[in-house]
Amino acid sequence: MEVYTSDSSDTDSREQKTIDFGRMSLDLGTLEDHLTSPQKALLKSSGDIETMLLNHNRLVGLPRVLQQFANLKVLDLSSNAITQLPDAICQLPLVTLIAKNNLLTNCSLPKSLLAKQAGVGGYSHGHSTLKELNLSGNQLTYFPEQVTELRHLKYLYVGGNKITGISKDIWKMQSLHVLSLGGNLISEVPDAVGSLSQLQALVLCDNLIENLPMSIARLKNLKSLLLHKNRLRHLPKDIVALKNLTELSLRDNPLVVRFVQDMALKPPTLLELAGRIVKASGQRPGPYDIPRTLAEYLNSANCCVNPNCKGVFFDNRVEHIKFVDFCGKYRVPLLQYLCSSKCIEHEEPARGSSASSSAASSANSGFMMRKVLLG
């Protein structure tokens, strides 16, 4: 993955274009003094500066003089006590903005993160050069909708806040490579996340998520999926289609670690029993043979996932957890549906293998399973 904070030029050139005031215990007044005094600013012209490091100070806001740094590309404000990001920050040609570990709320952010351009009748929203935005470790309570305007953003970090949901407009951010939302209060992941076709890393750990949408399986470029410390009991079965996925973290989830047995199953209705018989017989009633509602009901049949069963089900089904090989290393639980509890298949040792080798293989699988589930 590209790193926009370090690869733009060689070391000497970067040092000449960088102001580093990090870890100096500066307050806002002292910082303004440093930036406006030619002696303290090391006689650097504001137009030459591309990187400004203000991390680990005592700042509660940003100095007005910051607007003079017309070529600023990287701004690190992390680990201060900043309570407001002014609208003027959007006028800077920033590529990387790091504002993690501050006191920012949703009201602290500009209403729009796009630069304002002069137009007919006043100002209109323009473009943004941002490719990396880090707002982790603040006090956001909901997903900042204005970030969905940033169509060129590649890295978004908003972990360690109190966000309860993900914007359904997240699909607009088609350039995203990394989406980090760990350490929040998210309980539901919208289908729109599956539309982020360029996404390589999705961090959802330490939330309240119980289910993942099937659309996750559309993230063909996904390499890392971090789901630990949630409330997941199963994964979408199509997740095995993610061929590029090399990192999957599932520890500290109430994932079922054995096949579901002795599942209580309510008796199917007479309608379902009749529907199963019709479907199993292979009959295909015509539009004039049965009422339209019954025809629609028959067309809603679901096939049993047991390959040795030709049965179908409608509303009455058995939830079944099956472990499958994943990433060539682990066996993870995926939810399937069966037409009957009798359709649960138990794995048998391969023909010709001894009982001892089968037991060893089972023990090894158990170890690997614990590794992926527990970390």
Side-chain angles (χ1 to χ4, degrees):
M1 297 183 190
E2 297 173 83
V3 180
Y4 293 94
T5 56
S6 60
D7 293 337
S8 58
S9 58
D10 57 55
T11 303
D12 292 339
S13 176
R14 276 201 306 275
E15 289 180 352
Q16 293 174 3
K17 298 179 179 180
T18 298
I19 286 182
D20 187 354
F21 287 149
R23 301 179 184 275
M24 294 178 62
S25 297
L26 300 177
D27 58 25
L28 187 56
T30 308
L31 175 60
E32 286 186 334
D33 184 39
H34 277 69
L35 293 176
T36 55
S37 171
Q39 291 75 25
K40 294 182 179 180
L42 306 180
L43 300 177
K44 294 180 180 179
S45 169
S46 59
D48 294 333
I49 302 302
E50 294 184 356
T51 299
M52 185 178 295
L53 308 179
L54 304 176
N55 54 298
H56 293 85
N57 282 296
R58 295 185 290 117
L59 304 178
V60 295
L62 300 184
R64 295 181 180 178
V65 70
L66 197 63
Q67 301 177 49
Q68 298 179 14
F69 293 83
N71 292 312
L72 196 63
K73 292 182 172 60
V74 178
L75 179 59
D76 187 351
L77 305 170
S78 57
S79 300
N80 280 283
I82 297 173
T83 59
Q84 188 80 29
L85 288 182
D87 291 346
I89 201 171
C90 302
Q91 298 302 114
L92 298 173
L94 293 176
V95 174
T96 297
L97 174 59
I98 304 174
K100 64 181 181 180
N101 301 330
N102 279 284
L103 301 176
L104 297 172
T105 66
N106 288 91
C107 296
S108 302
L109 306 179
K111 292 183 179 180
S112 174
L113 294 172
L114 299 179
K116 292 183 179 180
Q117 296 177 331
V120 178
Y123 285 98
S124 61
H125 293 316
H127 69 287
S128 173
T129 53
L130 270 180
K131 290 187 171 67
E132 179 179 355
L133 176 61
N134 193 327
L135 297 173
S136 296
N138 280 283
Q139 298 179 5
L140 305 179
T141 55
Y142 55 89
F143 191 92
E145 292 287 343
Q146 52 268 64
V147 303
T148 62
E149 301 174 328
L150 306 176
R151 305 300 167 80
H152 301 292
L153 196 70
K154 289 193 172 186
Y155 307 101
L156 176 60
Y157 304 92
V158 285
N161 282 281
K162 299 177 182 178
I163 296 172
T164 56
I166 304 173
S167 172
K168 293 183 179 179
D169 288 332
I170 192 79
W171 63 269
K172 296 178 180 178
M173 306 180 72
Q174 287 298 308
S175 297
L176 270 187
H177 284 193
V178 175
L179 176 58
S180 180
L181 291 158
N184 280 291
L185 301 173
I186 297 169
S187 59
E188 185 177 354
V189 180
D191 286 336
V193 169
S195 300
L196 301 176
S197 59
Q198 302 300 315
L199 203 63
Q200 298 180 20
L202 178 58
V203 181
L204 295 171
C205 56
D206 198 9
N207 277 287
L208 306 173
I209 300 169
E210 296 184 4
N211 297 289
L212 289 178
M214 296 293 289
S215 63
I216 291 290
R218 299 205 303 264
L219 301 176
K220 302 301 183 182
N221 290 308
L222 198 64
K223 298 178 181 179
S224 178
L225 178 58
L226 304 186
L227 299 169
H228 54 273
K229 293 187 178 180
N230 273 287
R231 298 178 178 178
L232 293 167
R233 295 185 179 277
H234 56 83
L235 299 176
K237 61 183 178 65
D238 291 339
I239 199 173
V240 294
L242 299 177
K243 302 300 183 183
N244 290 317
L245 194 62
T246 57
E247 181 181 19
L248 174 66
S249 176
L250 293 171
R251 67 180 185 275
D252 295 329
N253 276 285
L255 287 165
V256 180
V257 295
R258 61 181 176 85
F259 290 105
V260 176
Q261 295 179 344
D262 301 325
M263 178 75 69
L265 180 64
K266 295 180 180 179
T269 63
L270 291 177
L271 176 63
E272 175 141 356
L273 287 173
R276 290 188 181 195
I277 292 173
V278 172
K279 296 294 289 188
S281 67
Q283 298 181 36
R284 296 183 179 180
Y288 302 106
D289 296 329
I290 57 175
R292 180 175 56 83
T293 55
L294 287 180
E296 291 176 351
Y297 180 77
L298 289 174
N299 290 333
S300 69
N302 298 280
C303 296
C304 181
V305 297
N306 185 342
N308 296 321
C309 176
K310 304 298 183 181
V312 298
F313 63 87
F314 295 88
D315 301 315
N316 196 268
R317 64 191 184 185
V318 174
E319 288 189 350
H320 171 57
I321 303 297
K322 184 172 183 178
F323 294 109
V324 299
D325 289 336
F326 194 79
C327 299
K329 298 179 181 179
Y330 310 123
R331 295 164 59 78
V332 298
L334 301 178
L335 182 65
Q336 298 180 328
Y337 295 112
L338 302 166
C339 66
S340 168
S341 58
K342 297 179 181 179
C343 288
I344 295 176
E345 290 185 312
H346 298 281
E347 292 187 354
E348 298 179 356
R351 185 175 299 176
S353 64
S354 65
S356 59
S357 63
S358 176
S361 176
S362 177
N364 183 60
S365 295
F367 169 77
M368 297 307 290
M369 191 184 304
R370 286 193 299 273
K371 180 175 177 62
V372 73
L373 296 183
L374 305 178

